[in-house]
């Protein structure tokens, strides 16, 4: 071995590409930053404790001989989570500054964060970069294991203290609500005032205008759009959605409803804008409109409402009764679409849509069909199981991406905008995969019995739908047509984007057994994985 090669072999730095683990950074400098904050805007406006925090941190830095490279915070930011603009700006600064920051000085650990476990994680990541968090009022040497333990305990107690405060606050809020005292910002039409040292919620000028909205709805049965226009003409700017919301808010008739009350309704101490009778009348009339028809939620006369979509615009088609004719109709929700049709005629078209799935068989033919369906379904389920495994693997991959993204965000490797953008995309992808998993259920406890029930179910499908009650009709509709149906007024035709594969297969068998060349429109069907094998012969007496 030559002297040169021997020298190289003894130089261990050459072997650094083969080393394992991360090399910890140790900043030997004295550069630091100071972070101060308060929890509420009121504290920030009054400069409560901010000056005290800053002064104490500066004195500590001077005492230790540290050089202050920047001040952060100085405003109000909640410490319940770590999505704080000043906090994140500080983390970005200490990570990217070329001179290197060795310390983050705070007045107390709860000024740094009250998020417990997440605060511990952030501190550990900073420590790996050679940055130590120092609390002026709770001094610990976080560079050592014991000091780091003490600091972590302080973080956890800060989170615990935060939770206790929230519980006490919510308990106080609930007690106040039970006394009829509204603790939040009053709704539109009310304002909070102080009289004789007491907080009162009173009706303002906007409230006097809003009273007209309730009276118009109760007495003239105006539409919400017309009410909005009238209020705007009177000088009150309001949206259509806001009108709909306030008409359903019992606060205006003197009652309080709030999540903290856990479903209870309490009589409020505030002045009622309208009487309870007017409020109930308004909300009873919300099921009517000025075109003279009544909408009902559950009605045997219109079982296809909202299950059926407009073929022109894709909007749902609810049902209504024309008073003058005493006839039920379906109508597209889109204003100006004009896609409406008599319920009686629509139901006739729907029964025609069910006709291809009505399969009447002799006993011998039924046994033969059952055997073939069991064979085909067994093959189909095997394919579904393979697909389900692939979908589950995709779900694991997406979850790993989400976890990695969250880690990169915490480590400040990506901005908040990038995190939100990709997090929303990945979560939407995860949602779609979960939906696919729900649809790909490949488990059937008893395939023979399931096929037998299906054949019995299909023996006279149109009659079964006609004789069922409202709930039964809905179940049958969704079973056969999972994605609903559409109606086209120009062609006077009902169609569907998807058919349950089992019923698609029944329609296919019916065509084979009846030796029909023309049957249902094939573009509506997908039974490629349920094709019957050779050997199924129709009987002459079927």
């Amino acid at each position: 071995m030559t002297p040169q090669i021997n020298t190289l072999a003894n130089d261990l730095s050459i072997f650094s590409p083969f080393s394992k683990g991360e090399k910890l950074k140790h900043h030997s400098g004295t550069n630091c930053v100071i972070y101060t904050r308060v929890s509420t805007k009121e504290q920030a406006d009054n400069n409560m404790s901010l000056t005290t925090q800053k002064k104490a941190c500066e004195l500590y830095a001077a005492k230790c001989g540290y050089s202050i490279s920047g001040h952060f915070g100085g405003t109000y930011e909640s410490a319940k989570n770590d999505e704080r603009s000043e906090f994140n700006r500080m983390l970005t600064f200490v990570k990217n500054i070329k001179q290197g920051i060795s310390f983050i000085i705070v007045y107390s650990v709860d000024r740094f964060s009250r998020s417990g476990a997440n605060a511990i994680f952030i501190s550990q990541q900073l420590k790996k970069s050679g940055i130590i968090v120092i609390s002026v009022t709770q001094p610990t040497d976080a560079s050592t294991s014991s000091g780091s333990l003490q600091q972590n305990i302080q973080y956890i107690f800060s989170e615990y203290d935060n939770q206790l405060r929230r519980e006490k606050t919510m308990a106080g809020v609930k007690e106040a609500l039970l006394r009829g005292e509204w603790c939040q910002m009053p709704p539109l039409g009310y304002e909070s005032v102080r009289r004789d040292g007491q907080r009162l919620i009173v009706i303002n000028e906007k409230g006097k205008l809003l009273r007209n909205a309730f009276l118009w709805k109760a007495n003239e049965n105006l539409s919400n759009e017309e009410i909005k226009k009238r209020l705007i003409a009177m000088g009150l700017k309001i949206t259509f959605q806001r009108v709909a919301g306030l008409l359903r808010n019992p606060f205006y008739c003197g009652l309080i409803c709030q999540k903290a009350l856990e479903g209870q309704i309490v009589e409020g101490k505030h002045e009622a804008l309208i009487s309870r009778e007017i409020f109930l009348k308004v909300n009873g009339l919300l099921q009517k409109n000025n075109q003279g028809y009544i909408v009902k939620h559950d009605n045997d006369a219109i079982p296809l409402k909202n299950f059926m979509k407009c073929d022109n615009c894709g909007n749902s088609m609810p049902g209504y009764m024309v008073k003058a004719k005493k006839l039920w109709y379906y109508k597209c929700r889109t204003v100006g679409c004009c896609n409406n049709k008599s319920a009686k005629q629509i139901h006739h078209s729907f029964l025609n849509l069910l006709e291809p799935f009505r399969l009447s068989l002799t006993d011998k033919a039924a046994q033969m069909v059952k055997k073939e369906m069991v064979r085909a379904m067994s093959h189909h389920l095997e394919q579904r199981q393979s697909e389900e495994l692939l979908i589950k693997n995709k779900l694991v991959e997406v979850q790993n991406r989400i976890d990695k993204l969250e880690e990169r965000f915490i480590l400040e490797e990506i901005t908040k905008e990038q995190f939100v953008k990709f997090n929303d995309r990945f979560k939407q992808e995860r949602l779609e995969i979960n939906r696919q998993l729900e649809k790909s259920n490949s488990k059937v406890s008893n395939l023979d019995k399931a096929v037998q029930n299906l054949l019995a179910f299909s023996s006279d499908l149109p009659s079964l739908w006609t004789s069922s009650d409202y709930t039964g009709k809905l179940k049958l509709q969704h079973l056969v047509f999972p994605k609903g149906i559409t109606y086209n007024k120009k062609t006077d035709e009902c169609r569907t984007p998807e058919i349950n594969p089992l019923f698609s297969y029944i329609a296919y068998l019916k065509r084979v057994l009846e030796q029909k060349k023309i049957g249902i429109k094939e573009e509506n069907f997908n039974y490629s994985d349920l094709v019957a094998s050779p050997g199924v012969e129709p009987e002459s007496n079927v």
Side-chain angles (χ1 to χ4, degrees):
M1 184 180 293
T2 64
Q4 184 180 3
I5 296 177
N6 188 45
T7 302
L8 290 173
N10 291 329
D11 184 5
L12 299 183
S13 63
I14 295 177
F15 296 91
S16 60
F18 305 97
S19 63
K20 296 181 180 180
E22 294 183 11
K23 185 177 181 180
L24 295 178
K25 296 179 181 179
H26 298 284
H27 290 164
S28 57
T30 59
N31 292 332
C32 71
V33 296
I34 292 175
Y35 176 69
T36 59
R37 71 161 190 86
V38 289
S39 300
T40 64
K41 186 177 186 301
E42 290 73 17
Q43 290 177 345
D45 292 340
N46 297 327
N47 204 29
M48 292 177 63
S49 80
L50 282 174
T51 302
T52 302
Q53 290 181 43
K54 183 179 179 182
K55 185 176 180 180
C57 291
E58 288 176 342
L59 287 173
Y60 183 89
K63 179 181 177 181
C64 296
Y66 296 157
S67 175
I68 301 173
S69 300
H71 291 80
F72 296 88
T75 184
Y76 70 99
E77 289 187 316
S78 173
K80 290 187 293 183
N81 57 64
D82 297 310
E83 295 180 5
R84 297 171 270 160
S85 58
E86 277 294 299
F87 183 79
N88 289 329
R89 192 170 73 89
M90 175 195 65
L91 292 179
T92 302
F93 178 83
V94 299
K95 180 180 178 181
N96 298 330
I97 188 171
K98 292 182 179 179
Q99 294 84 350
I101 299 297
S102 298
F103 307 101
I104 297 175
I105 302 177
V106 295
Y107 185 76
S108 61
V109 292
D110 61 351
R111 298 302 90 190
F112 181 75
S113 178
R114 283 178 175 268
S115 60
N118 202 34
I120 294 172
F121 178 79
I122 293 173
S123 296
Q124 289 174 344
Q125 298 305 312
L126 289 170
K127 189 176 178 181
K128 288 181 180 179
S129 300
I131 303 169
I132 303 298
V133 179
I134 296 177
S135 169
V136 173
T137 57
Q138 299 159 307
T140 57
D141 186 1
S143 62
T144 65
S145 298
S146 59
S148 181
L149 174 62
Q150 292 180 41
Q151 190 176 77
N152 291 344
I153 292 173
Q154 290 167 356
Y155 284 135
I156 293 172
F157 271 101
S158 293
E159 182 183 27
Y160 173 66
D161 180 61
N162 203 53
Q163 292 175 349
L164 285 180
R165 289 185 183 185
R166 185 181 183 279
E167 288 180 2
K168 290 178 181 178
T169 300
M170 291 309 299
V173 168
K174 185 174 182 179
E175 288 181 8
L177 290 171
L178 289 172
R179 294 195 300 267
E181 300 171 5
W182 186 253
C183 305
Q184 298 172 305
M185 181 182 294
L188 182 66
Y190 286 89
E191 62 183 23
S192 178
V193 298
R194 284 277 177 182
R195 292 178 185 172
D196 299 327
Q198 291 185 335
R199 177 178 180 267
L200 300 176
I201 296 178
V202 298
I203 300 171
N204 56 23
E205 293 302 317
K206 291 182 179 180
K208 295 176 182 177
L209 297 178
L210 285 179
R211 183 182 285 116
N212 293 318
F214 286 92
L215 297 177
W216 291 332
K217 175 65 76 171
N219 300 326
E220 302 179 42
N221 194 21
L222 291 184
S223 67
N224 293 350
E225 182 65 26
E226 182 62 30
I227 290 174
K228 183 198 79 172
K229 292 179 180 179
R230 287 194 182 186
L231 290 175
I232 291 176
M234 297 174 70
L236 179 59
K237 293 183 178 180
I238 192 169
T239 63
F240 174 85
Q241 293 81 1
R242 196 81 181 273
V243 171
L246 70 89
L247 290 176
R248 290 174 171 83
N249 190 350
F251 189 93
Y252 292 101
C253 68
L255 301 177
I256 290 178
C257 301
Q258 216 266 359
K259 289 182 179 179
L261 291 174
E262 300 173 345
Q264 284 185 268
I265 297 178
V266 177
E267 189 167 352
K269 291 185 177 180
H270 61 280
E271 180 183 357
L273 183 69
I274 55 168
S275 67
R276 296 182 187 179
E277 289 75 19
I278 290 293
F279 181 82
L280 292 174
K281 186 177 181 182
V282 164
N283 283 275
L285 288 171
L286 285 177
Q287 293 182 337
K288 298 182 181 180
N289 70 17
N290 58 354
Q291 295 178 356
Y293 56 77
I294 302 173
V295 178
K296 292 188 177 182
H297 294 291
D298 295 338
N299 194 320
D300 289 335
I302 46 174
L304 298 177
K305 73 180 186 67
N306 298 323
F307 175 78
M308 180 170 59
K309 308 289 184 183
C310 174
D311 193 57
N312 182 41
C313 66
N315 211 341
S316 58
M317 297 183 67
Y320 66 92
M321 172 185 275
V322 177
K323 289 182 178 179
K325 299 180 181 180
K326 293 184 179 180
L327 293 175
W328 288 96
Y329 279 73
Y330 292 101
K331 179 179 175 65
C332 177
R333 287 186 183 275
T334 303
V335 178
C337 187
C338 299
N339 188 7
N340 66 321
K341 189 71 175 179
S342 161
K344 184 177 180 180
Q345 292 174 316
I346 289 283
H347 295 166
H348 179 73
S349 298
F350 182 73
L351 290 174
N352 289 336
L353 200 62
L354 291 175
E355 188 63 30
F357 313 110
R358 184 167 62 87
L359 188 61
S360 298
L361 301 170
T362 64
D363 291 341
K364 185 177 180 181
Q367 290 300 319
M368 184 171 56
V369 169
K370 177 184 174 182
K371 181 179 179 180
E372 178 60 26
M373 288 191 69
V374 169
R375 183 210 62 79
M377 282 305 302
S378 298
H379 175 67
H380 174 71
L381 290 175
E382 289 176 3
Q383 290 183 325
R384 292 287 288 270
Q385 287 173 350
S386 299
E387 293 172 1
E388 190 174 333
L389 181 59
L390 292 174
I391 294 173
K392 288 180 178 179
N393 290 336
K394 286 175 62 178
L395 182 62
V396 172
E397 290 179 10
V398 172
Q399 187 59 52
N400 289 338
R401 290 180 192 172
I402 294 174
D403 294 341
K404 183 65 176 178
L405 185 70
E406 291 176 350
E407 181 180 347
R408 293 188 65 192
F409 176 61
I410 292 173
L411 295 176
E412 297 294 322
E413 294 178 358
I414 58 175
T415 64
K416 183 177 180 180
E417 289 74 18
Q418 290 174 317
F419 172 77
V420 172
K421 176 183 176 181
F422 289 101
N423 190 49
D424 290 344
R425 180 187 300 177
F426 291 153
K427 286 188 175 179
Q428 182 63 34
E429 188 176 345
R430 183 176 64 183
L431 180 62
E432 291 299 324
I433 293 174
N434 280 323
R435 287 174 179 169
Q436 291 178 26
L437 275 177
E438 290 176 4
K439 292 180 180 179
S440 66
N441 185 5
S442 58
K443 297 179 181 178
V444 178
S445 58
N446 190 326
L447 188 56
D448 284 353
K449 186 175 180 181
V451 170
Q452 184 174 342
N453 290 339
L454 178 64
L455 291 174
F457 188 74
S458 301
S459 61
D460 197 354
L461 207 55
S463 297
L464 181 61
W465 184 81
T466 302
S467 61
S468 298
D469 59 12
Y470 180 81
T471 303
K473 285 184 172 71
L474 289 183
K475 290 181 178 179
L476 190 150
Q477 291 162 196
H478 286 283
L479 178 64
V480 182
F481 308 117
K483 292 187 178 180
I485 63 172
T486 61
Y487 175 72
N488 188 308
K489 188 174 182 179
K490 291 182 180 180
T491 60
D492 191 22
E493 184 179 44
C494 287
R495 293 175 59 84
T496 181
E498 181 179 322
I499 297 174
N500 186 318
L502 290 173
F503 289 95
S504 296
Y505 189 63
I506 286 176
Y508 169 79
L509 285 176
K510 182 177 180 180
R511 290 177 56 189
V512 172
L513 292 168
E514 295 181 354
Q515 294 182 319
K516 288 187 176 181
K517 294 183 179 180
I518 300 176
I520 55 177
K521 295 187 177 181
E522 295 194 22
E523 62 265 26
N524 289 347
F525 292 81
N526 178 19
Y527 46 76
S528 59
D529 57 346
L530 288 176
V531 176
S533 62
V536 179
E537 298 292 339
E539 291 193 30
S540 58
N541 59 345
V542 173

